[in-house]
Amino acid sequence: MAFKSLSCSEYHGNSLDPGTDRYFNLYLQALSDPFTAKRDIVNVLESQSNMLSVDEQALVYLAQYYIQIGQGRNVGRARPYLEKMKQIAKEHKSVWLSAEIKFIEAFELMDQREYALAQFQLENLKEQAEEMDYNMLLGRTLKWLGNLDADRSEYKAALNKYNQSYDIFAKCNNYQQLVRVMSNIASVYIDMQEWNIALHYSREALDLYSKYKLNNPYIESYIHINAAVIAKYIGNREEREKHITTAMALAKQSSVLRVKIAALVNLSAYYLDVGKEDKAVDAANQCLVIAKQFGGINGHSVASCHESLSEAYLGSGWIDGALEHADKAMGIYQETKEKARVVYMYELMAKIYEAKHLYEKALQYYKRFTEEGRDLLFDVRSQKLIDIQEVFDNSVNEKEIKLLKAENALARARLAERKAMENTVRLLGLLSVVMLYFLFRRYNKLKKEQAWLLTSNKMLVNQSTQDPLTGLNNRRYFEWWLSLPLQEIYPDGLTLAVIDVDHFKKINDHFGHDTGDEVLKILANRLRQVLGEDEHLIRWGGEEFVAILSGTQCEERLRCFCDVICRDAFQLAKRPLRATISVGGVSVADAETFSENWRLVFREADKALYRVKSSGRNNVDFSYYQEV
């Protein structure tokens, strides 16, 4: 059989003989829709009249393996098909089948939490798939490498791999895999708390799933779980309830235990937030029963359910039960080195000990949460997010920007064409009074089009570097600003300040996001009034801002920031409202030192901000940077 190059063409049946193509497509269907494949494989095998070729047998075993796995069966049920594939690969030296077996083995290593071995296997498999031009396997390998990166909070690497796999699946018109990649990207932005971008990709995944009428309850349930999490944090309770209900119904249709666990964790959190503590406990207990069936007593899923049960018991008032399950979750997270979850558990443990009136113990956990959590949050938000943004943030508006660029290119082409025509007319010497008048009009039109080009190019720059809500510059502008000759602009040094609106979540929760947006716009206008020449105010994200001030003696000026915000109430459309801010500032005597160490300076300012937060807010913590 012509399995010399398993590229996208085989997915459409363009290079295999009709019989083999049938089995290849059955295998692909088992990957994307195991429920339909289970029904179809019976018809395919009953209708075949001749003996199957070696590759056809291998494809049937692959399909049967993925049907078992895709329906959530125990690996033991799928193992016989894997052993038969290994036998075929060994006897017939089948390179493509050996590669598929390696992928399966890597996947099993991940289920056994042997992540380092799984990554090593997948990295080797990636090179092999590239050499074979086996794009369907390459896309899946890249996607799972991205999943491993995301689990370690290596978000830039994860998104790069998701982007590569997306391009492959788009070329192959494999919409099931495209939806999975979109959902994975949404999950990454959820972890980074970039809710608007996460919402964009979540909607893209759901729209794609609906548009192509896909049928996989497992995938669809995860899309709705992501959507429910996003709805929670953007404050849309109605949408959250809708997505949670849909996710639970789909999870019940699927026999994949992993998705049932994820749905129950989110259902428990929802019940807890709406005051139905008993139902939250029931959902978390169901989760724990299923998780122990799925991953033994020490798996990540079990830890998630212990965490949910701890929160539910705390909400219902059974403090000892909350502490018991928090201890179990903490132990598993520490063993599996899931730093983000460990940090969250510090806060939960602090709340539990506070409820037990053991305030000294609670304070210890709050300190650990503050110290380790702020460093972790900074790493996620700053060190990784800044690098990622250049590639991925524009995806939210990429259609509009691409369209504008295309219009610019077309306009340039038309300008060049018209100028060439006019030069030809001049050379031929056929000008007349009428033609002169005509050319004059065309010249004016060209000038207008050139002005339009300049304006549209300026629009492109603004879209890239300007925050649309407040009109302030954004993080991408900060990257550009770093490329300037800062030593010349700030010969007396400079000060970096991180500014955060106090209790902004309460403003959103109590008065709505429209009011929150009004507060941010007024706040931005007030802060701008304090700035001088060559000084900048940047919206860093959400309710957080960054200020760049000239000189190093800036503590009093930073206190002016606090004063200008809290002095007068914000006159909003619905009602006047008062707000305060917390400021962490660090001065650097030498601008060149700042350029080389700005991440460290930012870290110090971020820590200073959270010292203010921890000590009561509406204040300034100011220090001078000491180069190590």
Side-chain angles (χ1 to χ4, degrees), residues 253-264:
Q253 293 178 32
S254 170
S255 53
V256 180
L257 298 181
R258 187 185 289 110
V259 73
K260 294 180 186 291
I261 293 165
L264 284 165

Side-chain angles (χ1 to χ4, degrees), residues 129 166 173 179 193 201 258 332 339 374 402 422 517 525 564 602-603:
Y166 181 92
N173 294 328
V179 169
Q193 299 180 26
Y201 283 107
R258 187 185 289 110
I332 296 172
K339 186 176 180 181
R374 299 316 176 190
K402 283 182 178 179
E422 291 165 6
D517 288 347
N525 287 331
V564 79
F602 201 117
R603 184 189 293 271

Side-chain angles (χ1 to χ4, degrees), residues 26-49:
L26 179 66
Y27 149 62
L28 293 176
Q29 186 182 49
L31 283 174
S32 59
D33 186 359
F35 300 93
T36 303
K38 180 183 179 182
R39 179 196 66 208
D40 290 351
I41 196 169
V42 176
N43 298 331
V44 169
L45 294 177
E46 286 180 351
S47 63
Q48 65 92 16
S49 55

Side-chain angles (χ1 to χ4, degrees), residues 8 161-172 178 181:
C8 293
K161 291 184 178 70
Y162 289 151
N163 197 40
Q164 294 176 59
S165 64
Y166 181 92
D167 288 342
I168 291 171
F169 295 136
K171 179 182 176 183
C172 298
L178 280 177
V181 174

